[in-house]
């Protein structure tokens, strides 16, 4: 045993450990790979845009692309319902370089097949599927990430150069989004959108005019609705206007300038114009009445409305302002009051010294020369009439008077409106002629045994029969005068058979400015 204890224990072998172990290579490589992947992910991932639509029709997560001018710039990553369940929220991930497209004026809409009255679009998506179109709008603006998507795509991208204006009107009518805008019959723009004002008093249209035609839009432009087939019956007869086929389907707008008006200065984007109901309303917009007259008629004014014109020998010089018995001072007055307003600049000579006279003095002199106002029938079918100013021979002396706050202009009975009482008076006189009494006397004398000669002599000696020629001549004279009134109508129908439907020709066929005024009228002794 002592020998065993005398043996010394073996000494341990001590070696210095290695500074690193190959085992750490794997986690280090994994860490480096993860960092590189994170860097690549955040370095290549673009911004996220959240778009709110009414429905998610045609949109699928992971499949629906986001495009800008047909170039893919992103992908839909998620589609979910909004918190209030009234819409859907579409989350789109855009490419990194597309981040600058998300700004204040950016618009999104879904491109899919659409059929409207104005056009057919999106047919290409029948094969490749719907996609979301991005319109970055004009440059500038703050960066954004949340947007309200458009349910109806704009007619023209906001990045397309051109003139963008606003048209306002009281009623929308048949005018639709996408309707064309014409200048002298040439299409130069489109209606992009429409909306009703908050108080419901007017309708506003956003309109686009192409860049090459934007110089045509100036401060004195007149825009009017040329939608559909326009058939109107007024003082000038039945008017039929047939625009382009597209305008008949979706509506349309035309614009131009009134004759004699300076075009004005070019306008900037956002300029606002009034949209008139038709071409005639746009033409009348430059009418500036400065003188009012009250006309008092002793006959019916049926067919006369506040839209009726006041003319001098067929040329418009004014319009009807009001027809009301409230204009009379006494309700016992049987006359019919018609208030008119005229533009003296359209009736006065410009090169005469008399142009320096006040307007009322000018008309005072012309009334002394026989200038009178009367009713004239302008359409036999509709019964429309208007006020006609003209010179009349052999009229009673008259002057401009005063009734209340208005000056009264002398009137005469004229046109077809006076035929009815004349014809009734003629028929009444024929009925009053003692023809039956004369024939009865002749029959009585014959039956009593008198000879025919004695019977005739007795009838001719009758005072009633002696008055017959004078009464008959007077009646025939009135009938002759009435037929003279009808001669003018017969001559018109002979020259223009369709005048009974379409009324008088006040415009030259083929005249490109047929909607304009004919210019100032030279009223005076030399024009009678």
């Amino acid at each position: 045993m002592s020998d065993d204890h005398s043996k010394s224990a073996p000494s341990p072998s001590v070696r210095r450990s290695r500074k690193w172990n190959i085992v750490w290579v794997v986690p280090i490589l994994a860490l480096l790979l993860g960092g590189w992947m994170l860097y690549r992910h955040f370095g290549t991932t673009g911004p996220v845009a959240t778009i709110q639509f009414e429905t998610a029709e045609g949109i699928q997560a992971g499949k629906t692309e986001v495009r800008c001018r047909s170039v893919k710039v992103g992908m839909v990553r998620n589609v979910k319902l909004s918190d209030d369940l009234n819409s859907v929220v579409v989350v789109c991930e855009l490419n990194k370089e597309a981040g600058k497209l998300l700004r204040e004026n950016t618009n999104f809409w879904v491109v899919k097949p659409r059929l409207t009255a104005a056009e057919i679009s999106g047919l290409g998506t029948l094969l490749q599927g719907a996609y979301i179109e991005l319109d970055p709008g004009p440059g500038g603006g703050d960066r954004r990430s949340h947007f309200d998507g458009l349910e109806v795509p704009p007619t023209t991208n906001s990045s397309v150069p051109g003139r963008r204006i606003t048209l306002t009107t009281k009623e929308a009518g048949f005018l639709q989004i996408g309707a064309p805008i014409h200048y002298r019959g040439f299409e130069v723009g489109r209606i992009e959108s429409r909306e009703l004002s908050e108080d419901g008093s007017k309708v506003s249209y956003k309109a686009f005019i192409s860049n090459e035609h934007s110089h045509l839009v100036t401060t004195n432009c007149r825009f009017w609705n040329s939608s559909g087939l326009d058939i109107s019956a007024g003082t000038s007869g039945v008017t039929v206007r047939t625009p382009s086929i597209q305008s008949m389907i979706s509506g349309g707008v035309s614009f131009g300038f009134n004759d004699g008006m300076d075009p004005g200065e070019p306008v900037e984007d956002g300029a606002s114009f009034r949209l008139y109901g038709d071409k005639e309303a746009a033409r009348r917009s430059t009418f500036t009445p400065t003188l009012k007259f009250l006309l008092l008629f002793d006959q019916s004014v049926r067919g006369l409305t506040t839209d009726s014109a006041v003319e001098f020998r067929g040329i418009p010089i004014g319009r009807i302002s009001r027809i009301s018995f409230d204009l009379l001072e006494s309700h016992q007055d049987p006359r019919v009051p018609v208030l008119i307003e005229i533009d003296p600049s359209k009736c006065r000579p410009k090169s005469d010294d008399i142009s320096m006279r006040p307007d009322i003095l000018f008309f005072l002199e012309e009334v002394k020369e026989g200038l009178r106002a009367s009713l004239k029938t302008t359409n036999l079918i509709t019964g429309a009439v208007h006020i006609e100013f003209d010179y009349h021979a052999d009229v009673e002396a008259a002057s401009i008077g005063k009734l209340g706050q208005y000056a009264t202009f002398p009137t005469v009975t004229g046109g077809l409106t006076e035929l009815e009482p004349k014809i009734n008076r003629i028929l009444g006189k024929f009925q009053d002629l003692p023809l039956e009494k004369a024939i009865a006397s002749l029959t009585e004398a014959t039956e009593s045994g008198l000879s025919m000669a004695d019977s005739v002599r007795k009838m001719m000696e009758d005072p009633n029969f002696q008055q017959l020629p004078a009464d008959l001549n007077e009646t025939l004279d009135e009938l002759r005068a009435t037929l003279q009134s009808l001669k003018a109508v017969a001559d018109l129908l002979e020259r223009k058979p369709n005048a009974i439907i379409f009324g008088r020709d006040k415009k030259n066929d083929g005249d490109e400015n047929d909607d304009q005024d004919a210019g100032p009228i030279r009223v005076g002794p030399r024009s009678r």
Side-chain angles (χ1 to χ4, degrees), residues 29-55:
L29 290 177
L31 182 62
L32 292 176
L33 181 61
W36 178 80
M37 293 179 65
L38 287 175
Y39 171 79
R40 181 177 176 82
H41 173 74
F42 288 106
T44 58
T45 300
V48 175
T50 304
I51 313 168
Q52 197 160 354
F53 291 103
E54 289 186 2
T55 66

PDB file of all heavy atoms in Angstrom, residues 29-55:
ATOM      1  N   LEU A  29     -23.350  34.333 -39.991  1.00  0.00           N
ATOM      2  CA  LEU A  29     -23.818  34.442 -41.357  1.00  0.00           C
ATOM      3  C   LEU A  29     -25.323  34.692 -41.412  1.00  0.00           C
ATOM      4  O   LEU A  29     -25.812  35.474 -42.252  1.00  0.00           O
ATOM      5  CB  LEU A  29     -23.469  33.167 -42.129  1.00  0.00           C
ATOM      6  CG  LEU A  29     -21.977  32.952 -42.436  1.00  0.00           C
ATOM      7  CD1 LEU A  29     -21.769  31.610 -43.142  1.00  0.00           C
ATOM      8  CD2 LEU A  29     -21.438  34.084 -43.299  1.00  0.00           C
ATOM      9  N   ALA A  30     -26.055  34.044 -40.522  1.00  0.00           N
ATOM     10  CA  ALA A  30     -27.507  34.255 -40.488  1.00  0.00           C
ATOM     11  C   ALA A  30     -27.834  35.693 -40.113  1.00  0.00           C
ATOM     12  O   ALA A  30     -28.748  36.325 -40.672  1.00  0.00           O
ATOM     13  CB  ALA A  30     -28.145  33.296 -39.494  1.00  0.00           C
ATOM     14  N   LEU A  31     -27.057  36.242 -39.152  1.00  0.00           N
ATOM     15  CA  LEU A  31     -27.288  37.619 -38.741  1.00  0.00           C
ATOM     16  C   LEU A  31     -26.995  38.582 -39.881  1.00  0.00           C
ATOM     17  O   LEU A  31     -27.746  39.530 -40.142  1.00  0.00           O
ATOM     18  CB  LEU A  31     -26.427  37.946 -37.526  1.00  0.00           C
ATOM     19  CG  LEU A  31     -26.589  39.352 -36.933  1.00  0.00           C
ATOM     20  CD1 LEU A  31     -28.007  39.563 -36.438  1.00  0.00           C
ATOM     21  CD2 LEU A  31     -25.578  39.562 -35.799  1.00  0.00           C
ATOM     22  N   LEU A  32     -25.886  38.356 -40.576  1.00  0.00           N
ATOM     23  CA  LEU A  32     -25.536  39.217 -41.690  1.00  0.00           C
ATOM     24  C   LEU A  32     -26.577  39.126 -42.815  1.00  0.00           C
ATOM     25  O   LEU A  32     -26.967  40.138 -43.416  1.00  0.00           O
ATOM     26  CB  LEU A  32     -24.150  38.843 -42.223  1.00  0.00           C
ATOM     27  CG  LEU A  32     -22.972  39.143 -41.290  1.00  0.00           C
ATOM     28  CD1 LEU A  32     -21.673  38.623 -41.898  1.00  0.00           C
ATOM     29  CD2 LEU A  32     -22.876  40.645 -41.025  1.00  0.00           C
ATOM     30  N   LEU A  33     -27.032  37.895 -43.088  1.00  0.00           N
ATOM     31  CA  LEU A  33     -28.035  37.726 -44.130  1.00  0.00           C
ATOM     32  C   LEU A  33     -29.342  38.419 -43.758  1.00  0.00           C
ATOM     33  O   LEU A  33     -29.989  39.072 -44.590  1.00  0.00           O
ATOM     34  CB  LEU A  33     -28.272  36.238 -44.383  1.00  0.00           C
ATOM     35  CG  LEU A  33     -29.294  35.900 -45.472  1.00  0.00           C
ATOM     36  CD1 LEU A  33     -28.834  36.463 -46.818  1.00  0.00           C
ATOM     37  CD2 LEU A  33     -29.504  34.393 -45.571  1.00  0.00           C
ATOM     38  N   GLY A  34     -29.744  38.303 -42.489  1.00  0.00           N
ATOM     39  CA  GLY A  34     -30.970  38.966 -42.043  1.00  0.00           C
ATOM     40  C   GLY A  34     -30.871  40.473 -42.137  1.00  0.00           C
ATOM     41  O   GLY A  34     -31.810  41.169 -42.573  1.00  0.00           O
ATOM     42  N   GLY A  35     -29.691  41.016 -41.745  1.00  0.00           N
ATOM     43  CA  GLY A  35     -29.512  42.463 -41.849  1.00  0.00           C
ATOM     44  C   GLY A  35     -29.553  42.938 -43.289  1.00  0.00           C
ATOM     45  O   GLY A  35     -30.119  43.999 -43.591  1.00  0.00           O
ATOM     46  N   TRP A  36     -28.901  42.139 -44.163  1.00  0.00           N
ATOM     47  CA  TRP A  36     -28.930  42.534 -45.592  1.00  0.00           C
ATOM     48  C   TRP A  36     -30.351  42.494 -46.151  1.00  0.00           C
ATOM     49  O   TRP A  36     -30.738  43.374 -46.919  1.00  0.00           O
ATOM     50  CB  TRP A  36     -28.028  41.571 -46.368  1.00  0.00           C
ATOM     51  CG  TRP A  36     -28.024  41.853 -47.844  1.00  0.00           C
ATOM     52  CD1 TRP A  36     -27.319  42.805 -48.497  1.00  0.00           C
ATOM     53  CD2 TRP A  36     -28.787  41.158 -48.832  1.00  0.00           C
ATOM     54  NE1 TRP A  36     -27.578  42.770 -49.841  1.00  0.00           N
ATOM     55  CE2 TRP A  36     -28.487  41.762 -50.091  1.00  0.00           C
ATOM     56  CE3 TRP A  36     -29.664  40.083 -48.805  1.00  0.00           C
ATOM     57  CZ2 TRP A  36     -29.047  41.324 -51.274  1.00  0.00           C
ATOM     58  CZ3 TRP A  36     -30.223  39.659 -49.988  1.00  0.00           C
ATOM     59  CH2 TRP A  36     -29.920  40.264 -51.218  1.00  0.00           C
ATOM     60  N   MET A  37     -31.107  41.461 -45.714  1.00  0.00           N
ATOM     61  CA  MET A  37     -32.480  41.351 -46.189  1.00  0.00           C
ATOM     62  C   MET A  37     -33.334  42.520 -45.667  1.00  0.00           C
ATOM     63  O   MET A  37     -34.178  43.071 -46.394  1.00  0.00           O
ATOM     64  CB  MET A  37     -33.085  40.023 -45.769  1.00  0.00           C
ATOM     65  CG  MET A  37     -32.441  38.812 -46.450  1.00  0.00           C
ATOM     66  SD  MET A  37     -33.146  37.245 -45.931  1.00  0.00           S
ATOM     67  CE  MET A  37     -34.799  37.398 -46.563  1.00  0.00           C
ATOM     68  N   LEU A  38     -33.093  42.876 -44.395  1.00  0.00           N
ATOM     69  CA  LEU A  38     -33.835  44.020 -43.856  1.00  0.00           C
ATOM     70  C   LEU A  38     -33.475  45.306 -44.596  1.00  0.00           C
ATOM     71  O   LEU A  38     -34.339  46.125 -44.917  1.00  0.00           O
ATOM     72  CB  LEU A  38     -33.545  44.175 -42.362  1.00  0.00           C
ATOM     73  CG  LEU A  38     -34.175  43.137 -41.439  1.00  0.00           C
ATOM     74  CD1 LEU A  38     -33.691  43.343 -40.010  1.00  0.00           C
ATOM     75  CD2 LEU A  38     -35.697  43.214 -41.496  1.00  0.00           C
ATOM     76  N   TYR A  39     -32.216  45.460 -44.856  1.00  0.00           N
ATOM     77  CA  TYR A  39     -31.779  46.655 -45.584  1.00  0.00           C
ATOM     78  C   TYR A  39     -32.396  46.692 -46.983  1.00  0.00           C
ATOM     79  O   TYR A  39     -32.856  47.730 -47.445  1.00  0.00           O
ATOM     80  CB  TYR A  39     -30.257  46.675 -45.675  1.00  0.00           C
ATOM     81  CG  TYR A  39     -29.731  47.753 -46.589  1.00  0.00           C
ATOM     82  CD1 TYR A  39     -29.653  49.070 -46.163  1.00  0.00           C
ATOM     83  CD2 TYR A  39     -29.326  47.432 -47.892  1.00  0.00           C
ATOM     84  CE1 TYR A  39     -29.191  50.066 -47.018  1.00  0.00           C
ATOM     85  CE2 TYR A  39     -28.860  48.420 -48.756  1.00  0.00           C
ATOM     86  CZ  TYR A  39     -28.797  49.739 -48.312  1.00  0.00           C
ATOM     87  OH  TYR A  39     -28.333  50.714 -49.171  1.00  0.00           O
ATOM     88  N   ARG A  40     -32.374  45.514 -47.633  1.00  0.00           N
ATOM     89  CA  ARG A  40     -32.936  45.456 -48.986  1.00  0.00           C
ATOM     90  C   ARG A  40     -34.445  45.709 -48.973  1.00  0.00           C
ATOM     91  O   ARG A  40     -34.994  46.389 -49.843  1.00  0.00           O
ATOM     92  CB  ARG A  40     -32.636  44.099 -49.609  1.00  0.00           C
ATOM     93  CG  ARG A  40     -33.172  43.960 -51.037  1.00  0.00           C
ATOM     94  CD  ARG A  40     -32.780  42.620 -51.630  1.00  0.00           C
ATOM     95  NE  ARG A  40     -33.354  42.456 -52.946  1.00  0.00           N
ATOM     96  CZ  ARG A  40     -32.840  42.964 -54.073  1.00  0.00           C
ATOM     97  NH1 ARG A  40     -31.729  43.691 -54.018  1.00  0.00           N
ATOM     98  NH2 ARG A  40     -33.422  42.762 -55.242  1.00  0.00           N
ATOM     99  N   HIS A  41     -35.093  45.182 -47.925  1.00  0.00           N
ATOM    100  CA  HIS A  41     -36.543  45.365 -47.831  1.00  0.00           C
ATOM    101  C   HIS A  41     -36.903  46.836 -47.660  1.00  0.00           C
ATOM    102  O   HIS A  41     -37.733  47.388 -48.388  1.00  0.00           O
ATOM    103  CB  HIS A  41     -37.097  44.541 -46.674  1.00  0.00           C
ATOM    104  CG  HIS A  41     -38.545  44.798 -46.400  1.00  0.00           C
ATOM    105  ND1 HIS A  41     -39.558  44.332 -47.199  1.00  0.00           N
ATOM    106  CD2 HIS A  41     -39.158  45.526 -45.405  1.00  0.00           C
ATOM    107  CE1 HIS A  41     -40.717  44.705 -46.727  1.00  0.00           C
ATOM    108  NE2 HIS A  41     -40.514  45.442 -45.632  1.00  0.00           N
ATOM    109  N   PHE A  42     -36.273  47.468 -46.688  1.00  0.00           N
ATOM    110  CA  PHE A  42     -36.610  48.865 -46.432  1.00  0.00           C
ATOM    111  C   PHE A  42     -36.024  49.792 -47.483  1.00  0.00           C
ATOM    112  O   PHE A  42     -36.524  50.906 -47.693  1.00  0.00           O
ATOM    113  CB  PHE A  42     -36.112  49.284 -45.043  1.00  0.00           C
ATOM    114  CG  PHE A  42     -36.912  48.677 -43.928  1.00  0.00           C
ATOM    115  CD1 PHE A  42     -36.388  47.638 -43.168  1.00  0.00           C
ATOM    116  CD2 PHE A  42     -38.183  49.141 -43.638  1.00  0.00           C
ATOM    117  CE1 PHE A  42     -37.128  47.074 -42.142  1.00  0.00           C
ATOM    118  CE2 PHE A  42     -38.925  48.579 -42.611  1.00  0.00           C
ATOM    119  CZ  PHE A  42     -38.404  47.544 -41.865  1.00  0.00           C
ATOM    120  N   GLY A  43     -34.985  49.335 -48.155  1.00  0.00           N
ATOM    121  CA  GLY A  43     -34.382  50.164 -49.176  1.00  0.00           C
ATOM    122  C   GLY A  43     -35.125  50.133 -50.495  1.00  0.00           C
ATOM    123  O   GLY A  43     -35.016  51.051 -51.300  1.00  0.00           O
ATOM    124  N   THR A  44     -35.891  49.070 -50.737  1.00  0.00           N
ATOM    125  CA  THR A  44     -36.596  48.945 -52.014  1.00  0.00           C
ATOM    126  C   THR A  44     -38.102  49.099 -51.880  1.00  0.00           C
ATOM    127  O   THR A  44     -38.799  49.287 -52.876  1.00  0.00           O
ATOM    128  CB  THR A  44     -36.305  47.573 -52.649  1.00  0.00           C
ATOM    129  OG1 THR A  44     -36.699  46.529 -51.745  1.00  0.00           O
ATOM    130  CG2 THR A  44     -34.825  47.431 -52.969  1.00  0.00           C
ATOM    131  N   THR A  45     -38.667  49.010 -50.696  1.00  0.00           N
ATOM    132  CA  THR A  45     -40.109  49.128 -50.511  1.00  0.00           C
ATOM    133  C   THR A  45     -40.535  50.581 -50.637  1.00  0.00           C
ATOM    134  O   THR A  45     -39.945  51.484 -50.021  1.00  0.00           O
ATOM    135  CB  THR A  45     -40.532  48.588 -49.140  1.00  0.00           C
ATOM    136  OG1 THR A  45     -40.166  47.220 -49.054  1.00  0.00           O
ATOM    137  CG2 THR A  45     -42.033  48.724 -48.952  1.00  0.00           C
ATOM    138  N   GLY A  46     -41.580  50.810 -51.456  1.00  0.00           N
ATOM    139  CA  GLY A  46     -42.088  52.157 -51.659  1.00  0.00           C
ATOM    140  C   GLY A  46     -43.123  52.536 -50.620  1.00  0.00           C
ATOM    141  O   GLY A  46     -43.448  51.756 -49.708  1.00  0.00           O
ATOM    142  N   PRO A  47     -43.686  53.712 -50.772  1.00  0.00           N
ATOM    143  CA  PRO A  47     -44.689  54.182 -49.812  1.00  0.00           C
ATOM    144  C   PRO A  47     -45.998  53.415 -49.954  1.00  0.00           C
ATOM    145  O   PRO A  47     -46.269  52.782 -50.968  1.00  0.00           O
ATOM    146  CB  PRO A  47     -44.849  55.652 -50.183  1.00  0.00           C
ATOM    147  CG  PRO A  47     -44.497  55.714 -51.632  1.00  0.00           C
ATOM    148  CD  PRO A  47     -43.424  54.690 -51.831  1.00  0.00           C
ATOM    149  N   VAL A  48     -46.838  53.521 -48.946  1.00  0.00           N
ATOM    150  CA  VAL A  48     -48.142  52.865 -48.923  1.00  0.00           C
ATOM    151  C   VAL A  48     -49.230  53.935 -49.026  1.00  0.00           C
ATOM    152  O   VAL A  48     -49.187  54.942 -48.315  1.00  0.00           O
ATOM    153  CB  VAL A  48     -48.322  52.032 -47.637  1.00  0.00           C
ATOM    154  CG1 VAL A  48     -49.734  51.459 -47.566  1.00  0.00           C
ATOM    155  CG2 VAL A  48     -47.298  50.914 -47.588  1.00  0.00           C
ATOM    156  N   ALA A  49     -50.185  53.702 -49.919  1.00  0.00           N
ATOM    157  CA  ALA A  49     -51.309  54.616 -50.098  1.00  0.00           C
ATOM    158  C   ALA A  49     -52.602  53.913 -49.692  1.00  0.00           C
ATOM    159  O   ALA A  49     -52.838  52.763 -50.091  1.00  0.00           O
ATOM    160  CB  ALA A  49     -51.411  55.086 -51.543  1.00  0.00           C
ATOM    161  N   THR A  50     -53.407  54.578 -48.908  1.00  0.00           N
ATOM    162  CA  THR A  50     -54.700  54.052 -48.483  1.00  0.00           C
ATOM    163  C   THR A  50     -55.797  54.790 -49.240  1.00  0.00           C
ATOM    164  O   THR A  50     -55.902  56.017 -49.140  1.00  0.00           O
ATOM    165  CB  THR A  50     -54.899  54.224 -46.971  1.00  0.00           C
ATOM    166  OG1 THR A  50     -53.815  53.599 -46.283  1.00  0.00           O
ATOM    167  CG2 THR A  50     -56.200  53.594 -46.531  1.00  0.00           C
ATOM    168  N   ILE A  51     -56.603  54.035 -49.996  1.00  0.00           N
ATOM    169  CA  ILE A  51     -57.630  54.637 -50.856  1.00  0.00           C
ATOM    170  C   ILE A  51     -58.993  54.130 -50.424  1.00  0.00           C
ATOM    171  O   ILE A  51     -59.168  52.921 -50.188  1.00  0.00           O
ATOM    172  CB  ILE A  51     -57.391  54.283 -52.337  1.00  0.00           C
ATOM    173  CG1 ILE A  51     -55.920  54.498 -52.712  1.00  0.00           C
ATOM    174  CG2 ILE A  51     -58.287  55.106 -53.238  1.00  0.00           C
ATOM    175  CD1 ILE A  51     -55.554  53.913 -54.042  1.00  0.00           C
ATOM    176  N   GLN A  52     -59.949  55.024 -50.335  1.00  0.00           N
ATOM    177  CA  GLN A  52     -61.295  54.679 -49.910  1.00  0.00           C
ATOM    178  C   GLN A  52     -62.241  54.739 -51.110  1.00  0.00           C
ATOM    179  O   GLN A  52     -62.367  55.765 -51.773  1.00  0.00           O
ATOM    180  CB  GLN A  52     -61.775  55.643 -48.812  1.00  0.00           C
ATOM    181  CG  GLN A  52     -62.963  55.124 -48.034  1.00  0.00           C
ATOM    182  CD  GLN A  52     -63.116  55.833 -46.689  1.00  0.00           C
ATOM    183  OE1 GLN A  52     -62.257  56.624 -46.313  1.00  0.00           O
ATOM    184  NE2 GLN A  52     -64.181  55.546 -45.993  1.00  0.00           N
ATOM    185  N   PHE A  53     -62.902  53.609 -51.403  1.00  0.00           N
ATOM    186  CA  PHE A  53     -63.887  53.505 -52.472  1.00  0.00           C
ATOM    187  C   PHE A  53     -65.237  53.105 -51.884  1.00  0.00           C
ATOM    188  O   PHE A  53     -65.312  52.594 -50.763  1.00  0.00           O
ATOM    189  CB  PHE A  53     -63.468  52.461 -53.513  1.00  0.00           C
ATOM    190  CG  PHE A  53     -62.277  52.846 -54.336  1.00  0.00           C
ATOM    191  CD1 PHE A  53     -61.023  52.309 -54.076  1.00  0.00           C
ATOM    192  CD2 PHE A  53     -62.403  53.746 -55.385  1.00  0.00           C
ATOM    193  CE1 PHE A  53     -59.919  52.657 -54.836  1.00  0.00           C
ATOM    194  CE2 PHE A  53     -61.310  54.105 -56.152  1.00  0.00           C
ATOM    195  CZ  PHE A  53     -60.062  53.552 -55.881  1.00  0.00           C
ATOM    196  N   GLU A  54     -66.291  53.305 -52.682  1.00  0.00           N
ATOM    197  CA  GLU A  54     -67.618  52.881 -52.238  1.00  0.00           C
ATOM    198  C   GLU A  54     -67.741  51.367 -52.245  1.00  0.00           C
ATOM    199  O   GLU A  54     -68.347  50.779 -51.351  1.00  0.00           O
ATOM    200  CB  GLU A  54     -68.695  53.503 -53.136  1.00  0.00           C
ATOM    201  CG  GLU A  54     -68.869  55.005 -52.942  1.00  0.00           C
ATOM    202  CD  GLU A  54     -70.030  55.553 -53.745  1.00  0.00           C
ATOM    203  OE1 GLU A  54     -70.717  54.743 -54.423  1.00  0.00           O
ATOM    204  OE2 GLU A  54     -70.256  56.767 -53.708  1.00  0.00           O
ATOM    205  N   THR A  55     -67.175  50.707 -53.255  1.00  0.00           N
ATOM    206  CA  THR A  55     -67.193  49.246 -53.348  1.00  0.00           C
ATOM    207  C   THR A  55     -65.826  48.766 -53.807  1.00  0.00           C
ATOM    208  O   THR A  55     -65.004  49.542 -54.302  1.00  0.00           O
ATOM    209  CB  THR A  55     -68.258  48.751 -54.340  1.00  0.00           C
ATOM    210  OG1 THR A  55     -67.894  49.160 -55.669  1.00  0.00           O
ATOM    211  CG2 THR A  55     -69.631  49.308 -54.004  1.00  0.00           C
TER     212      THR A  55
END
